[in-house]
Amino acid sequence: MGRLEREAVGRGTRLEAAALDVVADHGRAVDAVRAALAPIQDAAVRRELDAIPAARLQDVTEGRLRLGSIEQSGLRTVGAVLAAGPYRLRQIPGVGQRTVDQTLAAARRLAEAVHETVAVHIDVDHPAPETTALVRALHVLVEAGPDARRALDRARELMPRLRPLLAGAGPAAGRLRMLLAGRERRARALTAVEELRALLDETERAGLPALFAQASVDLLRGPESEVAAWVDFELRSAEYYGLLAEISGRAPDAAAAEGFLPDEIAERVRHQQLDDTHRRVSLRGYQAFGARFVLAQRKVVLGDEMGLGKTIQAIAVLAHLAAEGQSHFMVVCPASVLVNWSREVEARSSLRVLVLHGPDRQDAFADWKGRGGVAVTTFDALRGFPAPGGGEVGLIVVDEAHSVKNPQAKRSQAVSEWAGRCDRVLFMTGTPMENRVAEFRSLVGMLDRGVAEALGDGDALAGSVAFRKAVAPVYLRRNQDDVLTELPSLQHTDEWEELSAPDEEAYREAVRAGNFMAMRRAAYARPERSAKLDRLREIVREAGENGQKTVVFSNFKDVLRVVGEALAADGADLFGPLTGAVPAARRQLIVDDFAQAPGPAVLTAQIQAGGVGLNMQAASVVVICEPQIKPTIEHQAVARAHRMGQVRPVRVHRLLATGGVDERIVAILERKTRLFDAYARRSAVAEATPDAVDVSDTELARRIVEEEQARLGMAGPVSAEPA
């Protein structure tokens, strides 16, 4: 007895020191961020207060203040009132001490409110010393990654267990101390040493000493240079902003982050554990809640708005289930995002990935069956694989799940069969219902027949609050405005253009022929004198002069051809077009090349092919060549650029022609968007009407053609099939 006990106490003491170092090093890194953030935040608060009229102080005091004399003295904003202070306010004729006290108290309350809500935006195009200091401070934590957070959490969990054992084993740390201790203390010390050894063995098996040591090294390592920090920020801005929101306390409203779920469901989700062993990326609070929701509810639709990281949440669920011992997972998605899915899983987890696509997909399927991992395949390919036995697949993830809303389609039937054989199912879609609530009910039916059957048409029309409560067990949705306070601004501009004489001639020909699709693209039929094309070239030219990248969307390949030829003639650095005919892997490479191009560039894309799955946040200007029949198509396309990770404000230009089909489609879009907002987004009152729900796109197109023929005094055939 002696040497072994002393060694155990020494190991425990060193482990305690390592854990304390992790906590201290992380604390210093966080303090550095707060110190860099403070002056930026204070300046943002001052700007906000300087923009608030002094008259707003009346609102805070319910109209009790007399501000006439103060405003007449030149103090016209809340910021000016605060800067003036009590002495200057007291010098204003007619202003007494009571008014001064009340005015400043009201101004401070407004200042506190602004301080709580103001968002800090980091301008990547105009780095200043203050923002550079903030980016460098954040870089330390981002570069340290989730392992540093894991080390911090483990250190905090370990300390309450380790400290009492070290205190109890204290006499065993030295021979003399042990000799001087009484019999009872020696016995207690030996017991503590045995428990300490068991704890040390446990931490060794978990790899905690190495984890603590590496975390401290990472937390003390800064960026090589300011340039390196800024480059990393632009590449991983979502992680930087996520940390910034956490450290600054600017977390989103809790109810919004939890999708306004009923209390009993939200409480169950909060208590769901989330294992991060196989995950390589940190989650934002709302993302962690989303992953827990999937785990707690087992079969669900994750309907988060585009750009909120549904893929990351799915990977978090996969990683958790893998840590629990599950070995086989299936991801079903459009061909256009196969590459993106495999990249994301590989980059953000330690899970094995297999792509089941192409001529070798059956061999890959056999490999997956034998060895496990995350299989990624397409809707069509899934039909060629045998459905699993019960319990064989830990989770099936269906991306862009609105693609299987039609129960008669073979792809829907294949997904439904797999969903029925799996204990856990995750449907992912930012657009769970495009025109009909009934289609959303069809999706829910694959997950929970009881919930689906309870959703009658009458329930849907009763209002969105009732509808959302009814689907809460299987449906979670959050919106960008509610949870991404740092997302740069999104500015929509409808560019109304008068048709040129050749444009008008082409439009009349299309109306006379009753050809709806030709009517929609008539504005580009005479490119030499196209009003829309001229405006598009101006937008791209302006973006280029400002060093910005542009994405141009159209429903029509021939419109993209016309656009490409015009922009090429202007000398634009052109990429694309991305169309449905471009293989999935090639689409991702085109987007990557576009993102990596130095300086201004233009990517042209068919809106259905480019608006699904691909991330285009390198672009800060979006042009939509013509309005789309479905609001969700435009929304998806814009969200490819305006999403988590975007570091610049995004401007969206929708090119519209006056007096014809575009005006009618815009009116339809407004009605459909209200329906979508009423049910898929948060809304207090449903504004849907039966005809807004039930009229099909084909019928709408036919109606538009007939109305335009009547307006122009024509009669003719009608070809109204929508795209």
Tab-separated table of all heavy atoms in Angstrom, residues 220-270:
chain	number	residue	atom	x	y	z
A	220	LEU	N	-6.574	27.603	-27.631
A	220	LEU	CA	-5.496	28.583	-27.498
A	220	LEU	C	-4.880	28.944	-28.844
A	220	LEU	O	-4.025	29.817	-28.919
A	220	LEU	CB	-4.402	28.030	-26.567
A	220	LEU	CG	-4.817	27.848	-25.099
A	220	LEU	CD1	-3.724	27.124	-24.327
A	220	LEU	CD2	-5.123	29.190	-24.460
A	221	ARG	N	-5.333	28.252	-29.896
A	221	ARG	CA	-4.769	28.483	-31.224
A	221	ARG	C	-5.626	29.492	-31.978
A	221	ARG	O	-6.812	29.297	-32.183
A	221	ARG	CB	-4.716	27.173	-32.002
A	221	ARG	CG	-4.073	27.309	-33.380
A	221	ARG	CD	-4.271	26.064	-34.220
A	221	ARG	NE	-3.612	24.911	-33.616
A	221	ARG	CZ	-4.212	23.762	-33.349
A	221	ARG	NH1	-5.507	23.628	-33.594
A	221	ARG	NH2	-3.542	22.765	-32.821
A	222	GLY	N	-5.029	30.596	-32.400
A	222	GLY	CA	-5.749	31.607	-33.159
A	222	GLY	C	-5.561	31.417	-34.649
A	222	GLY	O	-4.818	30.528	-35.094
A	223	PRO	N	-6.228	32.236	-35.463
A	223	PRO	CA	-6.068	32.137	-36.918
A	223	PRO	C	-4.672	32.572	-37.344
A	223	PRO	O	-4.009	33.351	-36.650
A	223	PRO	CB	-7.142	33.096	-37.462
A	223	PRO	CG	-7.363	34.074	-36.352
A	223	PRO	CD	-7.147	33.311	-35.077
A	224	GLU	N	-4.209	32.049	-38.483
A	224	GLU	CA	-2.892	32.419	-38.985
A	224	GLU	C	-2.818	33.911	-39.290
A	224	GLU	O	-1.783	34.542	-39.124
A	224	GLU	CB	-2.573	31.609	-40.236
A	224	GLU	CG	-2.491	30.100	-39.980
A	224	GLU	CD	-2.279	29.328	-41.264
A	224	GLU	OE1	-2.087	29.966	-42.322
A	224	GLU	OE2	-2.309	28.091	-41.215
A	225	SER	N	-3.912	34.486	-39.765
A	225	SER	CA	-3.921	35.901	-40.134
A	225	SER	C	-5.353	36.402	-40.156
A	225	SER	O	-6.307	35.616	-40.086
A	225	SER	CB	-3.285	36.095	-41.514
A	225	SER	OG	-4.095	35.473	-42.510
A	226	GLU	N	-5.514	37.717	-40.262
A	226	GLU	CA	-6.851	38.290	-40.400
A	226	GLU	C	-7.524	37.782	-41.668
A	226	GLU	O	-8.724	37.483	-41.676
A	226	GLU	CB	-6.756	39.814	-40.426
A	226	GLU	CG	-6.306	40.426	-39.110
A	226	GLU	CD	-6.201	41.938	-39.180
A	226	GLU	OE1	-6.492	42.494	-40.275
A	226	GLU	OE2	-5.846	42.569	-38.168
A	227	VAL	N	-6.748	37.690	-42.741
A	227	VAL	CA	-7.310	37.220	-44.015
A	227	VAL	C	-7.840	35.803	-43.870
A	227	VAL	O	-8.936	35.469	-44.346
A	227	VAL	CB	-6.245	37.292	-45.129
A	227	VAL	CG1	-6.761	36.617	-46.403
A	227	VAL	CG2	-5.861	38.734	-45.407
A	228	ALA	N	-7.076	34.937	-43.182
A	228	ALA	CA	-7.515	33.553	-42.989
A	228	ALA	C	-8.827	33.501	-42.212
A	228	ALA	O	-9.721	32.696	-42.524
A	228	ALA	CB	-6.429	32.767	-42.256
A	229	ALA	N	-8.956	34.361	-41.197
A	229	ALA	CA	-10.195	34.391	-40.408
A	229	ALA	C	-11.374	34.828	-41.269
A	229	ALA	O	-12.463	34.246	-41.193
A	229	ALA	CB	-10.028	35.321	-39.207
A	230	TRP	N	-11.179	35.856	-42.089
A	230	TRP	CA	-12.272	36.338	-42.935
A	230	TRP	C	-12.671	35.302	-43.989
A	230	TRP	O	-13.857	35.118	-44.277
A	230	TRP	CB	-11.877	37.650	-43.618
A	230	TRP	CG	-12.120	38.861	-42.778
A	230	TRP	CD1	-11.200	39.655	-42.186
A	230	TRP	CD2	-13.397	39.417	-42.428
A	230	TRP	NE1	-11.811	40.667	-41.476
A	230	TRP	CE2	-13.161	40.549	-41.613
A	230	TRP	CE3	-14.717	39.062	-42.718
A	230	TRP	CZ2	-14.187	41.329	-41.091
A	230	TRP	CZ3	-15.751	39.840	-42.198
A	230	TRP	CH2	-15.480	40.952	-41.400
A	231	VAL	N	-11.684	34.645	-44.578
A	231	VAL	CA	-11.990	33.605	-45.571
A	231	VAL	C	-12.799	32.491	-44.920
A	231	VAL	O	-13.793	32.002	-45.475
A	231	VAL	CB	-10.687	33.048	-46.186
A	231	VAL	CG1	-10.971	31.787	-47.000
A	231	VAL	CG2	-10.026	34.099	-47.068
A	232	ASP	N	-12.390	32.083	-43.719
A	232	ASP	CA	-13.115	31.017	-43.029
A	232	ASP	C	-14.524	31.464	-42.667
A	232	ASP	O	-15.475	30.678	-42.750
A	232	ASP	CB	-12.352	30.609	-41.766
A	232	ASP	CG	-12.891	29.328	-41.159
A	232	ASP	OD1	-12.876	28.296	-41.854
A	232	ASP	OD2	-13.345	29.355	-39.995
A	233	PHE	N	-14.667	32.732	-42.284
A	233	PHE	CA	-16.008	33.251	-41.973
A	233	PHE	C	-16.924	33.153	-43.185
A	233	PHE	O	-18.084	32.739	-43.077
A	233	PHE	CB	-15.926	34.700	-41.504
A	233	PHE	CG	-17.265	35.392	-41.431
A	233	PHE	CD1	-18.152	35.097	-40.407
A	233	PHE	CD2	-17.651	36.297	-42.403
A	233	PHE	CE1	-19.400	35.705	-40.339
A	233	PHE	CE2	-18.891	36.920	-42.353
A	233	PHE	CZ	-19.763	36.618	-41.315
A	234	GLU	N	-16.411	33.531	-44.348
A	234	GLU	CA	-17.257	33.485	-45.535
A	234	GLU	C	-17.645	32.052	-45.890
A	234	GLU	O	-18.745	31.789	-46.363
A	234	GLU	CB	-16.545	34.147	-46.711
A	234	GLU	CG	-17.447	34.385	-47.908
A	234	GLU	CD	-16.911	35.438	-48.855
A	234	GLU	OE1	-15.853	36.032	-48.573
A	234	GLU	OE2	-17.561	35.655	-49.882
A	235	LEU	N	-16.751	31.108	-45.629
A	235	LEU	CA	-17.035	29.710	-45.941
A	235	LEU	C	-17.984	29.077	-44.930
A	235	LEU	O	-18.783	28.208	-45.274
A	235	LEU	CB	-15.727	28.908	-45.973
A	235	LEU	CG	-14.769	29.212	-47.121
A	235	LEU	CD1	-13.449	28.481	-46.917
A	235	LEU	CD2	-15.396	28.823	-48.458
A	236	ARG	N	-17.883	29.508	-43.661
A	236	ARG	CA	-18.664	28.861	-42.595
A	236	ARG	C	-19.431	29.883	-41.770
A	236	ARG	O	-19.507	29.792	-40.547
A	236	ARG	CB	-17.733	28.049	-41.678
A	236	ARG	CG	-17.037	26.900	-42.348
A	236	ARG	CD	-16.385	25.985	-41.329
A	236	ARG	NE	-15.170	26.535	-40.766
A	236	ARG	CZ	-14.457	25.952	-39.789
A	236	ARG	NH1	-14.893	24.829	-39.252
A	236	ARG	NH2	-13.344	26.504	-39.335
A	237	SER	N	-20.018	30.849	-42.431
A	237	SER	CA	-20.665	31.938	-41.697
A	237	SER	C	-21.804	31.452	-40.810
A	237	SER	O	-22.066	32.036	-39.762
A	237	SER	CB	-21.183	32.995	-42.675
A	237	SER	OG	-22.193	32.466	-43.500
A	238	ALA	N	-22.495	30.383	-41.221
A	238	ALA	CA	-23.602	29.880	-40.400
A	238	ALA	C	-23.107	29.464	-39.019
A	238	ALA	O	-23.766	29.713	-38.003
A	238	ALA	CB	-24.282	28.702	-41.092
A	239	GLU	N	-21.920	28.829	-38.962
A	239	GLU	CA	-21.377	28.420	-37.669
A	239	GLU	C	-20.941	29.630	-36.844
A	239	GLU	O	-21.114	29.661	-35.624
A	239	GLU	CB	-20.207	27.458	-37.890
A	239	GLU	CG	-20.626	26.125	-38.516
A	239	GLU	CD	-19.454	25.195	-38.734
A	239	GLU	OE1	-18.656	25.020	-37.796
A	239	GLU	OE2	-19.326	24.643	-39.843
A	240	TYR	N	-20.365	30.629	-37.496
A	240	TYR	CA	-19.965	31.844	-36.792
A	240	TYR	C	-21.191	32.543	-36.197
A	240	TYR	O	-21.185	32.944	-35.026
A	240	TYR	CB	-19.250	32.800	-37.745
A	240	TYR	CG	-17.803	32.463	-38.003
A	240	TYR	CD1	-17.445	31.414	-38.833
A	240	TYR	CD2	-16.783	33.215	-37.428
A	240	TYR	CE1	-16.115	31.112	-39.082
A	240	TYR	CE2	-15.441	32.924	-37.666
A	240	TYR	CZ	-15.118	31.864	-38.494
A	240	TYR	OH	-13.797	31.573	-38.733
A	241	TYR	N	-22.227	32.708	-37.011
A	241	TYR	CA	-23.414	33.406	-36.533
A	241	TYR	C	-24.137	32.596	-35.456
A	241	TYR	O	-24.741	33.160	-34.542
A	241	TYR	CB	-24.353	33.696	-37.701
A	241	TYR	CG	-24.063	35.005	-38.401
A	241	TYR	CD1	-23.834	35.041	-39.774
A	241	TYR	CD2	-24.038	36.205	-37.713
A	241	TYR	CE1	-23.577	36.239	-40.427
A	241	TYR	CE2	-23.783	37.405	-38.347
A	241	TYR	CZ	-23.555	37.419	-39.716
A	241	TYR	OH	-23.304	38.607	-40.350
A	242	GLY	N	-24.111	31.279	-35.581
A	242	GLY	CA	-24.728	30.451	-34.558
A	242	GLY	C	-24.067	30.647	-33.205
A	242	GLY	O	-24.734	30.793	-32.174
A	243	LEU	N	-22.730	30.656	-33.197
A	243	LEU	CA	-22.001	30.909	-31.954
A	243	LEU	C	-22.266	32.313	-31.429
A	243	LEU	O	-22.427	32.521	-30.225
A	243	LEU	CB	-20.503	30.726	-32.195
A	243	LEU	CG	-19.959	29.313	-32.047
A	243	LEU	CD1	-18.532	29.233	-32.565
A	243	LEU	CD2	-20.009	28.874	-30.588
A	244	LEU	N	-22.302	33.267	-32.343
A	244	LEU	CA	-22.528	34.654	-31.939
A	244	LEU	C	-23.892	34.802	-31.269
A	244	LEU	O	-24.021	35.480	-30.237
A	244	LEU	CB	-22.431	35.565	-33.158
A	244	LEU	CG	-22.507	37.069	-32.894
A	244	LEU	CD1	-21.395	37.509	-31.955
A	244	LEU	CD2	-22.425	37.834	-34.209
A	245	ALA	N	-24.910	34.175	-31.841
A	245	ALA	CA	-26.250	34.250	-31.248
A	245	ALA	C	-26.266	33.620	-29.861
A	245	ALA	O	-26.876	34.143	-28.925
A	245	ALA	CB	-27.262	33.555	-32.162
A	246	GLU	N	-25.555	32.510	-29.710
A	246	GLU	CA	-25.516	31.820	-28.421
A	246	GLU	C	-24.796	32.652	-27.364
A	246	GLU	O	-25.272	32.809	-26.234
A	246	GLU	CB	-24.813	30.469	-28.610
A	246	GLU	CG	-24.699	29.641	-27.347
A	246	GLU	CD	-23.931	28.357	-27.594
A	246	GLU	OE1	-24.018	27.813	-28.703
A	246	GLU	OE2	-23.223	27.920	-26.671
A	247	ILE	N	-23.645	33.207	-27.729
A	247	ILE	CA	-22.839	33.950	-26.763
A	247	ILE	C	-23.480	35.282	-26.402
A	247	ILE	O	-23.439	35.724	-25.249
A	247	ILE	CB	-21.416	34.163	-27.324
A	247	ILE	CG1	-20.694	32.815	-27.401
A	247	ILE	CG2	-20.622	35.139	-26.462
A	247	ILE	CD1	-19.369	32.868	-28.149
A	248	SER	N	-24.108	35.920	-27.392
A	248	SER	CA	-24.711	37.231	-27.140
A	248	SER	C	-26.062	37.135	-26.456
A	248	SER	O	-26.624	38.142	-26.042
A	248	SER	CB	-24.870	37.997	-28.457
A	248	SER	OG	-25.815	37.353	-29.298
A	249	GLY	N	-26.591	35.915	-26.359
A	249	GLY	CA	-27.908	35.754	-25.758
A	249	GLY	C	-29.036	36.140	-26.679
A	249	GLY	O	-30.174	36.335	-26.244
A	250	ARG	N	-28.733	36.267	-27.991
A	250	ARG	CA	-29.764	36.649	-28.958
A	250	ARG	C	-30.463	35.414	-29.514
A	250	ARG	O	-30.613	35.251	-30.710
A	250	ARG	CB	-29.166	37.446	-30.119
A	250	ARG	CG	-28.611	38.804	-29.728
A	250	ARG	CD	-29.718	39.691	-29.154
A	250	ARG	NE	-29.271	41.049	-28.951
A	250	ARG	CZ	-28.657	41.476	-27.866
A	250	ARG	NH1	-28.367	40.633	-26.901
A	250	ARG	NH2	-28.298	42.738	-27.747
A	251	ALA	N	-30.800	34.495	-28.645
A	251	ALA	CA	-31.493	33.297	-29.093
A	251	ALA	C	-32.895	33.672	-29.572
A	251	ALA	O	-33.498	34.632	-29.083
A	251	ALA	CB	-31.586	32.289	-27.949
A	252	PRO	N	-33.439	32.928	-30.545
A	252	PRO	CA	-34.788	33.232	-31.015
A	252	PRO	C	-35.828	32.957	-29.943
A	252	PRO	O	-35.553	32.286	-28.943
A	252	PRO	CB	-34.963	32.277	-32.206
A	252	PRO	CG	-34.018	31.154	-31.950
A	252	PRO	CD	-32.844	31.782	-31.245
A	253	ASP	N	-37.000	33.512	-30.147
A	253	ASP	CA	-38.115	33.262	-29.244
A	253	ASP	C	-38.304	31.754	-29.071
A	253	ASP	O	-38.328	31.004	-30.041
A	253	ASP	CB	-39.385	33.891	-29.824
A	253	ASP	CG	-40.600	33.578	-28.986
A	253	ASP	OD1	-40.720	34.104	-27.880
A	253	ASP	OD2	-41.426	32.766	-29.466
A	254	ALA	N	-38.397	31.323	-27.821
A	254	ALA	CA	-38.448	29.882	-27.543
A	254	ALA	C	-39.636	29.219	-28.221
A	254	ALA	O	-39.513	28.123	-28.793
A	254	ALA	CB	-38.501	29.647	-26.034
A	255	ALA	N	-40.805	29.850	-28.172
A	255	ALA	CA	-41.989	29.255	-28.797
A	255	ALA	C	-41.801	29.124	-30.305
A	255	ALA	O	-42.182	28.117	-30.911
A	255	ALA	CB	-43.225	30.091	-28.484
A	256	ALA	N	-41.179	30.149	-30.933
A	256	ALA	CA	-40.934	30.086	-32.374
A	256	ALA	C	-39.931	28.994	-32.703
A	256	ALA	O	-40.085	28.240	-33.671
A	256	ALA	CB	-40.443	31.436	-32.881
A	257	ALA	N	-38.862	28.887	-31.897
A	257	ALA	CA	-37.842	27.870	-32.130
A	257	ALA	C	-38.416	26.464	-31.983
A	257	ALA	O	-37.913	25.512	-32.582
A	257	ALA	CB	-36.677	28.062	-31.156
A	258	GLU	N	-39.476	26.340	-31.189
A	258	GLU	CA	-40.122	25.044	-30.991
A	258	GLU	C	-41.352	24.867	-31.880
A	258	GLU	O	-42.158	23.956	-31.673
A	258	GLU	CB	-40.493	24.872	-29.520
A	258	GLU	CG	-39.261	24.824	-28.617
A	258	GLU	CD	-39.598	24.746	-27.140
A	258	GLU	OE1	-40.813	24.815	-26.812
A	258	GLU	OE2	-38.673	24.611	-26.329
A	259	GLY	N	-41.485	25.740	-32.862
A	259	GLY	CA	-42.544	25.572	-33.847
A	259	GLY	C	-43.944	25.758	-33.299
A	259	GLY	O	-44.910	25.263	-33.893
A	260	PHE	N	-44.073	26.451	-32.147
A	260	PHE	CA	-45.389	26.695	-31.552
A	260	PHE	C	-46.149	25.389	-31.306
A	260	PHE	O	-47.366	25.307	-31.481
A	260	PHE	CB	-46.213	27.652	-32.418
A	260	PHE	CG	-45.518	28.956	-32.658
A	260	PHE	CD1	-44.779	29.163	-33.814
A	260	PHE	CD2	-45.572	29.967	-31.709
A	260	PHE	CE1	-44.117	30.363	-34.029
A	260	PHE	CE2	-44.905	31.172	-31.914
A	260	PHE	CZ	-44.179	31.372	-33.074
A	261	LEU	N	-45.398	24.353	-30.897
A	261	LEU	CA	-46.023	23.072	-30.583
A	261	LEU	C	-46.813	23.171	-29.281
A	261	LEU	O	-46.485	23.981	-28.405
A	261	LEU	CB	-44.958	21.986	-30.421
A	261	LEU	CG	-44.199	21.553	-31.672
A	261	LEU	CD1	-43.098	20.567	-31.289
A	261	LEU	CD2	-45.130	20.929	-32.705
A	262	PRO	N	-47.831	22.348	-29.118
A	262	PRO	CA	-48.529	22.300	-27.828
A	262	PRO	C	-47.559	21.945	-26.700
A	262	PRO	O	-46.567	21.235	-26.917
A	262	PRO	CB	-49.571	21.184	-28.037
A	262	PRO	CG	-49.768	21.114	-29.518
A	262	PRO	CD	-48.444	21.461	-30.128
A	263	ASP	N	-47.847	22.429	-25.507
A	263	ASP	CA	-46.923	22.281	-24.382
A	263	ASP	C	-46.557	20.833	-24.102
A	263	ASP	O	-45.392	20.527	-23.816
A	263	ASP	CB	-47.531	22.900	-23.116
A	263	ASP	CG	-47.589	24.422	-23.198
A	263	ASP	OD1	-46.879	24.990	-24.052
A	263	ASP	OD2	-48.354	25.022	-22.426
A	264	GLU	N	-47.538	19.921	-24.176
A	264	GLU	CA	-47.244	18.543	-23.792
A	264	GLU	C	-46.258	17.883	-24.760
A	264	GLU	O	-45.395	17.106	-24.363
A	264	GLU	CB	-48.535	17.712	-23.694
A	264	GLU	CG	-49.304	17.515	-25.005
A	264	GLU	CD	-50.259	18.666	-25.312
A	264	GLU	OE1	-50.157	19.715	-24.643
A	264	GLU	OE2	-51.099	18.482	-26.220
A	265	ILE	N	-46.359	18.229	-26.052
A	265	ILE	CA	-45.420	17.667	-27.030
A	265	ILE	C	-44.061	18.334	-26.877
A	265	ILE	O	-43.016	17.664	-26.872
A	265	ILE	CB	-45.960	17.836	-28.468
A	265	ILE	CG1	-47.243	17.020	-28.641
A	265	ILE	CG2	-44.910	17.423	-29.493
A	265	ILE	CD1	-47.883	17.164	-30.005
A	266	ALA	N	-44.042	19.666	-26.741
A	266	ALA	CA	-42.780	20.386	-26.597
A	266	ALA	C	-42.004	19.897	-25.375
A	266	ALA	O	-40.776	19.736	-25.424
A	266	ALA	CB	-43.031	21.882	-26.496
A	267	GLU	N	-42.701	19.640	-24.287
A	267	GLU	CA	-42.037	19.177	-23.066
A	267	GLU	C	-41.410	17.802	-23.276
A	267	GLU	O	-40.290	17.536	-22.822
A	267	GLU	CB	-43.047	19.127	-21.917
A	267	GLU	CG	-42.427	18.876	-20.550
A	267	GLU	CD	-41.493	19.991	-20.104
A	267	GLU	OE1	-41.639	21.132	-20.587
A	267	GLU	OE2	-40.600	19.709	-19.287
A	268	ARG	N	-42.129	16.920	-23.960
A	268	ARG	CA	-41.583	15.587	-24.241
A	268	ARG	C	-40.328	15.686	-25.106
A	268	ARG	O	-39.344	14.984	-24.892
A	268	ARG	CB	-42.638	14.722	-24.929
A	268	ARG	CG	-42.154	13.314	-25.236
A	268	ARG	CD	-43.293	12.365	-25.512
A	268	ARG	NE	-44.051	12.725	-26.692
A	268	ARG	CZ	-45.291	13.214	-26.676
A	268	ARG	NH1	-45.900	13.418	-25.515
A	268	ARG	NH2	-45.927	13.506	-27.793
A	269	VAL	N	-40.359	16.585	-26.076
A	269	VAL	CA	-39.214	16.750	-26.974
A	269	VAL	C	-38.012	17.296	-26.205
A	269	VAL	O	-36.877	16.857	-26.408
A	269	VAL	CB	-39.584	17.690	-28.144
A	269	VAL	CG1	-38.363	18.018	-28.984
A	269	VAL	CG2	-40.661	17.049	-29.014
A	270	ARG	N	-38.233	18.258	-25.323
A	270	ARG	CA	-37.126	18.851	-24.565
A	270	ARG	C	-36.374	17.800	-23.745
A	270	ARG	O	-35.172	17.912	-23.523
A	270	ARG	CB	-37.641	19.943	-23.627
A	270	ARG	CG	-38.163	21.181	-24.335
A	270	ARG	CD	-38.572	22.259	-23.342
A	270	ARG	NE	-39.547	23.157	-23.936
A	270	ARG	CZ	-40.809	23.291	-23.527
A	270	ARG	NH1	-41.240	22.599	-22.473
A	270	ARG	NH2	-41.632	24.122	-24.133
